[in-house]
Amino acid sequence: MPQEENKMGVMPVKKLIVNMSLPMMISMLVQALYGIVDAAYVGHYSADAFAGLTYAYPMQNLMLSVAAGTGVGINAVLSKALGEKEFERSNRAGNNGITLGIISAIVFMLLSITGAKAFISSQTSNAVIAEQGTTYLRIVMMLSLGLFMQVTFERLLISTGKTFYTMITQSLGAIINIIMDPIMIFGYFGCPEMGVAGAAYATIIGQSIAAALALYFNLSKNTEIHFSLKGMIPDGRTVRTIYIVGIPSILMMAIGTVMTYLMDLILSMRFSDDAVSVFGAYFKLQSFFFMPVFGLNNGVIPVLAYNWGARKGARIKEALSFAVKVAIVIMCIGTLVFELIPGTLLKVFGAGGNVVTLGIPALRIIAIHFPIAAVGISLGSVFQAFGKSIYSLIVSTMRQLVALIPIAYLMSLTGNLDMVWLSFPLAELVSVTVTLIFYRKVKREIINPIIENN
């Protein structure tokens, strides 16, 4: 009896992309909301605490990059082993992945002892802000096991196709964080007022409970993986294979860490801590529109890859066209929101006075590039789907480092802060130009021959 074809080859393309992308878009929206709510409560508590949180963000993002990038490696090795019916290898990948998460958490715990203060102090000379940032960063680094275990256990669920459970764990973690933030920051219901430390502990509690639930789902629902203490003993070949896939992903995500750190330095040294707070607010707010586009991309990539393998050029063309249009619509909405109510958006974080004055033109200037970014990001899905991930790495590096930081620094020499914000649209133009060059190459070499032979 012939095997029924996978839905990625037969389901109507638009319905398929919605079906594949919507859970990921919702999941990423939840993660964006997680960061926005955390920063909003801290901003209403203290402007200095919010600035400290902004300075802590690059290191926090680095931890997430290591966790998520390692998770990508675990995904690839485990899923491939399952597909090949190599169950001993898949079990080893899953169990070794847990060990790598624990080791990563220990490394950041050790770094927190002396590294947290040095990291924050390298960005600001304001003693109060440095103290607030150090307090927050030390806690989230010292107790990062919850983060690493949550990401690892969720990736194990994704590896075996149980994405519904990851939506539950991520949503629960975000909801707990949202509930605990005001209680621990402001000291409600008998809890002592802890300020920025309360925000850190609320984050840790949310991550740890989500990790515990993800572990439960793995033990009770994920029958494809057998968990054991013996299996957690590191296997050199397995670890090496995980990181061969994972390290490029870690580097791609860590580029954002370097970018935010360098931008913080430019803004604090050439302008003020208020300018850094504006950038911190923007970075949280933009994720509410960028994250769904990245979620859309994650759903489109397997559709493109499957139909590439099936030599269905028309479906590739339709999928890519639809994805680009949806991404542009999302980003145009983002641009409109930033242009029409920038002051309202900033006040979500308790911003007032100079931060609002500086922030309103900042949001309006930066938001110009959102639709351009939509084109670059959605076309970039082709590179990952067709095995050209090096192009994605080049474009990402171009967008966030090679173009953005030098342009921002040169603009800062004018002494006009608004010129620095203009570096975002300018860098995006450079990035999308490079993307289009790579896309034309991939289209000519891969997509067009498939279409012509259909």
Side-chain angles (χ1 to χ4, degrees):
M1 180 184 234
Q3 186 176 351
E4 186 178 343
E5 186 170 358
N6 188 284
K7 67 180 181 180
M8 287 190 284
V10 294
M11 184 182 285
V13 170
K14 294 183 178 65
K15 180 181 177 182
L16 175 63
I17 290 176
V18 172
N19 184 273
M20 293 285 289
S21 301
L22 195 57
M24 298 185 195
M25 293 171 75
I26 293 171
S27 175
M28 290 195 166
L29 266 176
V30 168
Q31 292 301 305
L33 185 64
Y34 200 120
I36 289 172
V37 171
D38 212 28
Y41 281 123
V42 170
H44 281 281
Y45 180 78
S46 160
D48 288 339
F50 181 78
L53 201 69
T54 299
Y55 285 122
Y57 176 75
M59 182 60 72
Q60 200 173 8
N61 186 61
L62 179 61
M63 289 192 292
L64 181 59
S65 299
V66 172
T70 304
V72 169
I74 297 168
N75 261 155
V77 177
L78 199 155
S79 297
K80 184 172 184 289
L82 284 175
E84 295 171 346
K85 310 298 182 186
E86 294 282 349
F87 300 117
E88 184 179 341
R89 187 151 52 91
S90 64
N91 287 331
R92 195 161 52 241
N95 284 280
N96 271 211
I98 297 170
T99 303
L100 294 176
I102 294 171
I103 292 171
S104 298
I106 292 171
V107 169
F108 280 101
M109 180 184 72
L110 295 174
L111 284 173
S112 72
I113 297 170
T114 55
K117 184 176 181 179
F119 182 78
I120 300 294
S121 297
S122 70
Q123 300 173 78
T124 179
S125 58
N126 186 310
V128 176
I129 292 175
E131 182 183 356
Q132 297 283 332
T134 301
T135 297
Y136 180 87
L137 189 57
R138 270 198 181 134
I139 294 169
V140 296
M141 290 178 71
M142 181 69 71
L143 303 175
S144 62
L145 184 63
L147 165 66
F148 283 98
M149 290 299 95
Q150 179 187 353
V151 172
T152 300
F153 290 136
E154 286 174 350
R155 284 289 176 174
L156 294 180
L157 291 167
I158 291 171
S159 296
T160 55
K162 296 172 176 61
T163 54
F164 174 74
Y165 296 111
T166 66
M167 286 179 60
I168 296 175
T169 58
Q170 289 178 350
S171 299
L172 178 67
I175 291 168
I176 289 172
N177 182 63
I178 290 168
I179 293 171
M180 296 304 297
D181 259 335
I183 294 173
M184 302 186 81
I185 292 170
F186 298 102
Y188 297 146
F189 306 114
C191 179
E193 180 183 325
M194 290 189 280
V196 73
Y201 285 122
T203 297
I204 295 302
I205 291 170
Q207 291 168 343
S208 299
I209 292 176
L213 183 61
L215 173 60
Y216 167 76
F217 283 143
N218 272 288
L219 294 175
S220 62
K221 309 292 183 182
N222 211 352
T223 54
E224 289 91 338
I225 304 173
H226 176 68
F227 297 95
S228 68
L229 291 175
K230 183 180 178 182
M232 291 175 64
I233 298 172
D235 173 73
R237 183 177 179 182
T238 301
V239 171
R240 185 169 60 253
T241 308
I242 287 172
Y243 279 127
I244 285 172
V245 178
I247 286 177
S249 296
I250 292 172
L251 291 176
M252 279 188 67
M253 287 181 269
I255 288 170
T257 297
V258 179
M259 183 275 286
T260 51
Y261 177 77
L262 293 176
M263 188 63 74
D264 285 348
L265 284 179
I266 291 170
L267 294 172
S268 63
M269 292 180 177
R270 301 292 304 179
F271 298 97
S272 65
D273 289 316
D274 284 344
V276 175
S277 292
V278 169
F279 177 59
Y282 157 73
F283 214 77
K284 296 291 185 185
L285 291 166
Q286 59 90 29
S287 66
F288 206 71
F289 298 100
F290 274 81
M291 285 299 189
V293 174
F294 287 128
L296 173 68
N297 248 29
N298 288 342
V300 170
I301 287 168
V303 174
L304 294 174
Y306 181 92
N307 286 285
W308 175 37
R311 317 303 290 175
K312 296 186 176 183
R315 288 178 66 81
I316 292 173
K317 187 176 179 181
E318 185 181 356
L320 190 58
S321 173
F322 181 66
V324 171
K325 290 172 184 174
V326 172
I328 290 173
V329 168
I330 292 171
M331 288 302 212
C332 283
I333 293 171
T335 298
L336 283 173
V337 171
F338 273 55
E339 296 295 335
L340 295 175
I341 55 168
T344 304
L345 294 176
L346 291 166
K347 286 174 183 175
V348 167
F349 303 106
N354 196 41
V355 172
V356 173
T357 302
L358 296 175
I360 288 175
L363 295 191
R364 284 177 170 156
I365 293 168
I366 297 174
I368 295 169
H369 87 279
F370 286 5
I372 305 171
V375 175
I377 293 168
S378 49
L379 286 180
S381 63
V382 170
F383 308 148
Q384 293 168 284
F386 296 166
K388 303 289 185 180
S389 55
I390 185 64
Y391 292 170
S392 295
L393 181 59
I394 292 170
V395 170
S396 185
T397 305
M398 183 71 66
R399 174 187 292 114
Q400 299 189 73
L401 290 180
V402 176
L404 178 61
I405 295 302
I407 293 173
Y409 177 73
L410 290 173
M411 292 297 194
S412 74
L413 299 179
T414 66
N416 184 342
L417 181 58
D418 289 347
M419 295 297 288
V420 176
W421 308 130
L422 192 60
S423 63
F424 285 88
L426 292 174
E428 198 62 55
L429 284 173
V430 174
S431 169
V432 81
T433 300
V434 175
T435 299
L436 288 170
I437 292 170
F438 285 147
Y439 173 71
R440 287 187 64 184
K441 180 177 171 61
V442 172
K443 187 171 183 290
R444 184 177 65 251
E445 295 175 357
I446 298 176
I447 300 176
N448 286 347
I450 295 174
I451 294 173
E452 290 165 5
N453 291 329
N454 282 169

